[in-house]
Amino acid sequence: MSIVKIKDKTFETSITESELQKRISEVAAQISHDMEGKNPLLLGVLNGAFIFAADLMRQITIPCEISFVKLASYQGTTSTGKVKEVIGINEDLTGRTVIIVEDIVESGLTMKRMIEQIGTRNPASVHICTLFVKPEKLQVDLDIDYAAFSIPNDFILGYGLDYDQQGRGLKEIYTLKQ
């Protein structure tokens, strides 16, 4: 296990790059199977999901499209619980199959808000694909179609996830050491 120091905190490897890529490949294969013939729109949530969304799309074997939305609910290592839309959805979603691609689902509040907003645009269906889910933190019922990893309530970074905007470029997932 390697250790990195980001600002005032120390993190150690918890998921290797090869483990990440293996699970992303499996999720992409499942989406390709489930969405055959549908040309889904992957809707990546910035900033954290940009690396996951890119790797996922490259491994999906059916026609699909991608766009991004930016929402913010974090400060430092804790969620503020308030979601504010920064960049909206520009695509016409009428009759489309939409797959929201998120880096991590914790409380579920961000995802609930996104689903509500997308639902007003008459999509054929909306699905959730997340790299990580923290089941013990969920505050709302969500139907998460694709979750690469179910993790405990630890603070993690790397592979797009950050600590005060730092650490996103790390190729592995690191967990905060107490």
Side-chain angles (χ1 to χ4, degrees):
M1 283 201 179
S2 66
I3 293 182
V4 296
K5 188 163 171 78
I6 306 286
K7 292 192 168 188
D8 60 334
K9 307 232 181 279
T10 303
F11 298 83
E12 65 184 355
T13 306
S14 53
I15 302 173
T16 66
E17 183 178 10
S18 62
E19 289 173 299
L20 282 168
Q21 293 308 319
K22 179 180 185 290
R23 279 298 295 139
I24 292 165
S25 180
E26 292 167 357
V27 169
Q30 190 62 53
I31 290 171
S32 298
H33 175 266
D34 294 351
M35 301 294 162
E36 181 71 39
K38 295 186 179 173
N39 188 31
L41 173 65
L42 305 180
L43 191 58
V45 181
L46 296 173
N47 288 337
F50 77 106
I51 295 173
F52 174 46
D55 284 353
L56 181 69
M57 185 177 193
R58 284 191 296 239
Q59 294 195 44
I60 290 175
T61 59
I62 59 168
C64 62
E65 298 171 27
I66 193 164
S67 188
F68 292 90
V69 64
K70 184 170 182 179
L71 301 169
S73 66
Y74 259 82
Q75 285 184 330
T77 60
T78 54
S79 176
T80 63
K82 296 177 185 169
V83 178
K84 88 175 180 186
E85 185 172 359
V86 181
I87 300 171
I89 302 164
N90 298 320
E91 284 70 25
D92 178 7
L93 302 182
T94 305
R96 295 293 308 265
T97 298
V98 177
I99 302 174
I100 301 169
V101 180
E102 179 65 294
D103 58 351
I104 188 166
V105 175
E106 293 188 53
S107 69
L109 297 172
T110 299
M111 197 54 56
K112 183 176 185 281
R113 167 120 185 239
M114 278 197 71
I115 290 168
E116 289 167 355
Q117 289 178 354
I118 290 168
T120 66
R121 295 166 173 259
N122 304 311
S125 60
V126 179
H127 307 270
I128 300 169
C129 176
T130 186
L131 185 56
F132 300 105
V133 63
K134 292 182 177 181
E136 65 192 66
K137 289 283 287 181
L138 283 172
Q139 296 176 20
V140 294
D141 277 339
L142 289 176
D143 184 12
I144 300 175
D145 303 272
Y146 310 100
F149 296 91
S150 186
I151 62 170
N153 187 28
D154 296 326
F155 186 80
I156 60 172
L157 67 82
Y159 198 73
L161 290 88
D162 72 301
Y163 168 50
D164 279 347
Q165 299 302 321
Q166 300 298 306
R168 287 190 197 279
L170 295 168
K171 293 179 181 181
E172 298 181 309
I173 296 297
Y174 291 80
T175 300
L176 178 65
K177 286 182 71 170
Q178 298 302 332

